Amino acid sequence: MSSIMGSLALLTDKQLKERPLDNALTTDSLEKIMADYVHFVPKENDYGGYPAFGLGPYCMSKLAVNALTRVLQRDFNQDKSREDLSVNSCYPGYTVTGLTNQRGTHTAEEAAKTSVYLALLGSRVQDANGFETDIPRGQLVRDRRVLDWVNSEGCMKFSDIPKFDAKT
C-alpha cells in the first residue's frame, strides 16, 4: 500500500531525487537512503531537501515503497522463469479511515478496488478507459491507472493536505 505522497517531487534536493531512481538501486541501498533520512536532524528552516511539512516521515515511507516496487520488479524481470510475477504498489486514494481522522474522498470499499484489481491481474487487462493493455509492472497504480510518482501525477496540492489536530 502506497501513496502519491511518496512522490519524488516532494524532495527539493537534486541528489536526493536521483538516488531512488538509480538503475542500480538495491534493497540495501534503499535501506541506506531511509537510514540517512532517519538520522537527519533538520535545522531551523533547513530540511536538507526532505519533505518539510508534518507528514515528512509518511511521505518518505511511501517513497520507499514506490522505489522498492521498482527494485523488486526489476529483479523479477531478470528471472525469465518468473514472468508470471508482477510487483506494483497501490494508491487507494485519500480514504476515510482513522489515520485521516475520518476525512477523505474514498470509502474503504472504494479504496479496496485497486488492491483487488492488482491482486487479480491476468496477462492483459482493461485500463481505466476500457482499452486492453499489458499489465502494470513495477508501478504505482490507482483506479486501474499507472501514476507517475516521480513527477507527482495525481498528487494533492499542498493546500489540500489535511491539518491534523491532536484534539480531534
Side-chain angles (χ1 to χ4, degrees):
M1 203 57 62
S2 191
S3 170
I4 198 62
M5 296 298 290
S7 171
L8 287 179
L10 298 176
L11 301 178
T12 58
D13 181 85
K14 183 180 177 192
Q15 288 181 324
L16 285 178
K17 285 183 179 186
E18 290 172 352
R19 289 174 68 192
L21 293 177
D22 184 344
N23 287 330
L25 185 70
T26 64
T27 54
D28 289 340
S29 57
L30 180 57
E31 189 174 309
K32 169 80 169 96
I33 291 170
M34 298 311 295
D36 289 347
Y37 174 68
V38 168
H39 296 296
F40 176 76
V41 178
K43 298 175 178 65
E44 186 176 329
N45 296 321
D46 178 9
Y47 292 89
Y50 294 110
F53 52 95
L55 292 175
Y58 177 82
C59 295
M60 289 300 294
S61 72
K62 297 308 179 182
L63 185 146
V65 169
N66 294 339
L68 180 61
T69 298
R70 292 179 69 234
V71 169
L72 294 175
Q73 185 62 57
R74 182 198 64 217
D75 293 349
F76 280 132
N77 288 347
Q78 293 172 0
D79 182 355
K80 297 302 178 193
S81 71
R82 297 313 318 249
E83 291 179 352
D84 58 326
L85 293 177
S86 64
V87 179
N88 293 291
S89 49
C90 168
Y91 171 39
Y94 182 37
T95 305
V96 178
T97 65
L99 180 66
T100 62
N101 278 343
Q102 305 306 319
R103 298 180 187 123
T105 58
H106 290 70
T107 65
E109 292 80 13
E110 291 167 330
K113 289 180 181 180
T114 298
S115 295
V116 171
Y117 163 75
L118 289 172
L120 299 175
L121 285 175
S123 59
R124 305 261 310 157
V125 295
Q126 281 192 347
D127 66 15
N129 298 315
F131 296 106
E132 192 170 290
T133 184
D134 290 328
I135 65 170
R137 292 182 184 275
Q139 303 292 330
L140 173 61
V141 178
R142 176 181 181 192
D143 297 329
R144 295 185 179 211
R145 244 183 77 225
V146 172
L147 296 180
D148 180 1
W149 65 276
V150 173
N151 296 305
S152 286
E153 177 189 10
C155 189
M156 295 185 290
K157 298 181 292 260
F158 285 112
S159 60
D160 294 337
I161 296 171
K163 307 290 187 279
F164 293 103
D165 182 356
K167 297 178 211 162
T168 58

